[in-house]
Amino acid sequence: MPQIYFLCTGNSCRSQMAEGFGKTLLGPDWQVASAGIETHGLNPIAVQVMAEKDIDISKQQSQLIDNDYLQSCDLVVTLCGDARDKCPMTPPHVQRIHWPLPDPAAFDGDDEAKLNQFRSVRDQIETAISHLSKQKDGQ
């Protein structure tokens, strides 16, 4: 079973949303996980905007990178420069992709503006994983 790992700084927003979409869009033939360089806890706004897409990530937990899982992955996707730059070395068989997405939790604005920033990042992740799913299916 192929394995994919979504990594960002705190494993609270971007990588958590990517894990939710990965499990949904890549399906049961893939083992999907997410982690961070640090753990910042699951962001409630990420949970809220994913629920708008009927994907429940509320039971997911913020995790540190598991080196054993990382080394056995087929694909590692970094979602921020911090994760890309600090990700441990991987063997040559591990494909690495970088999606430079803004941190929605760092957005400074009122509640509605923050919610819209989370939705924007969520939608970018959904599009990227949809494309990835089609590539893996050979479409």
Side-chain angles (χ1 to χ4, degrees):
M1 172 180 296
Q3 291 182 186
I4 188 168
Y5 217 0
F6 294 103
L7 305 177
C8 68
T9 302
N11 192 220
S12 66
C13 304
R14 293 165 288 191
S15 55
Q16 292 285 355
M17 291 189 285
E19 180 179 344
F21 279 123
K23 288 177 177 175
T24 301
L25 299 173
L26 295 173
D29 294 337
W30 279 78
Q31 188 170 350
V32 179
S34 69
I37 305 301
E38 307 162 358
T39 57
H40 295 173
L42 181 59
N43 187 298
I45 302 173
V47 174
Q48 178 183 347
V49 299
M50 290 300 287
E52 293 173 358
K53 293 283 188 171
D54 294 321
I55 298 174
D56 182 8
I57 64 169
S58 65
K59 305 278 189 287
Q60 293 176 194
Q61 296 182 358
S62 189
Q63 305 285 329
L64 286 173
I65 294 173
D66 177 328
N67 198 49
D68 290 336
Y69 187 85
L70 177 73
Q71 299 300 318
S72 64
C73 279
D74 296 280
L75 178 61
V76 172
V77 180
T78 53
L79 304 167
C80 67
D82 193 39
R84 179 198 59 212
D85 296 343
K86 295 180 180 175
C87 182
M89 294 295 293
T90 54
H93 76 273
V94 177
Q95 180 185 2
R96 290 175 69 153
I97 299 174
H98 180 62
W99 298 338
L101 298 169
D103 182 359
F107 185 75
D108 193 23
D110 64 22
D111 290 347
E112 189 63 29
K114 286 180 186 179
L115 193 57
N116 287 332
Q117 182 67 16
F118 269 84
R119 287 177 178 136
S120 173
V121 172
R122 174 204 63 198
D123 294 347
Q124 291 174 64
I125 292 168
E126 181 179 26
T127 298
I129 294 176
S130 291
H131 286 28
L132 182 65
S133 175
K134 290 175 184 171
Q135 289 173 346
K136 295 302 175 188
D137 289 341
Q139 297 177 1

